[in-house]
Amino acid sequence: GIQVEQSPPDLILQEGANSTLRCNFSDSVNNLQWFHQNPWGQLINLFYIPSGTKQNGRLSATTVATERYSLLYISSSQTTDSGVYFCAVRETSGSRLTFGEGTQLTVNP
Amino acid sequence: GAGVSQTPSNKVTEKGKYVELRCDPISGHTALYWYRQSLGQGPEFLIYFQGTGAADDSGLPNDRFFAVRPEGSVSTLKIQRTERGDSAVYLCASSLSRNEQFFGPGTRLTVL
């Protein structure tokens, strides 16, 4: 099956800093989603981005499907951004999402 | 409803017992998925329903796990003869056809 690798596994920032999270995948996809898992375990949808670039406030994402990677940018980070960020992809022929191992982000005041 | 809901939020059971976990998808969503998340890992796929039928159950770990969606809306995940290794958070998601998936808050299952 498809492999999804996220980097870095852990990231510690000071409030106000910017960061880039990366997601690499091993095969063609027709769905890519970024999630933020909050401390209570809820998966919050950030982006549905099989290709191209999207922005939502301080967050933006870019997926280059032909090169099999996606990037999540967080600008002017806040303590409430802390949590685990997951990338998940759906293969062209499938229906399930395959998740990466996540990036644990800690934003300190 | 506003989002995907799951009940119970927590379930503690003893090894060997039977449990049922319920998922209410977003109204109108035809696709429903079950995933399982162990501590420190990303969610892993269990089963996918399109309408009432299980279109892909290849993620179910063994025949102790079974899921139904009899009327194409609510789904129940059933686990027989629970084992300690079944302890995890069970997540349900729904989508319109095979598009963006939205997740519920999960059921934390603990098998003692």
Side-chain angles (χ1 to χ4, degrees), chain B residues 35-48:
Chain B
Y35 294 81
R36 178 168 73 172
Q37 186 175 22
S38 300
L39 195 62
Q41 298 181 11
E44 293 181 326
F45 170 79
L46 295 176
I47 187 169
Y48 155 59

Side-chain angles (χ1 to χ4, degrees), chain A residues 14-35:
Chain A
Q14 286 300 120
E15 201 167 25
N18 303 329
S19 62
T20 301
L21 281 58
R22 187 177 180 101
C23 172
N24 292 334
F25 42 95
S26 61
D27 208 342
S28 300
V29 301
N30 58 11
N31 177 3
L32 187 145
Q33 293 184 238
W34 283 98
F35 297 91

Side-chain angles (χ1 to χ4, degrees), chain B residues 8-100:
Chain B
S9 55
N10 282 283
K11 176 70 177 178
V12 180
T13 190
E14 294 179 342
K15 180 176 177 297
K17 298 291 188 182
Y18 168 83
V19 297
E20 290 189 351
L21 312 179
R22 176 188 168 105
C23 172
D24 274 277
I26 293 171
S27 179
H29 279 191
T30 55
L32 185 147
Y33 312 78
W34 284 98
Y35 294 81
R36 178 168 73 172
Q37 186 175 22
S38 300
L39 195 62
Q41 298 181 11
E44 293 181 326
F45 170 79
L46 295 176
I47 187 169
Y48 155 59
F49 287 89
Q50 182 60 46
T52 60
D56 181 359
D57 65 357
S58 61
L60 295 177
N62 52 60
D63 61 6
R64 295 186 298 104
F65 289 74
F66 188 71
V68 296
R69 194 185 185 200
E71 298 179 357
S73 179
V74 170
S75 176
T76 304
L77 178 66
K78 308 180 181 196
I79 310 174
Q80 300 177 323
R81 304 184 304 280
T82 51
E83 300 177 357
R84 293 193 180 88
D86 299 336
S87 296
V89 176
Y90 289 80
L91 296 165
C92 177
S94 70
S95 68
L96 277 172
S97 188
R98 292 161 69 228
N99 296 322
E100 185 176 7

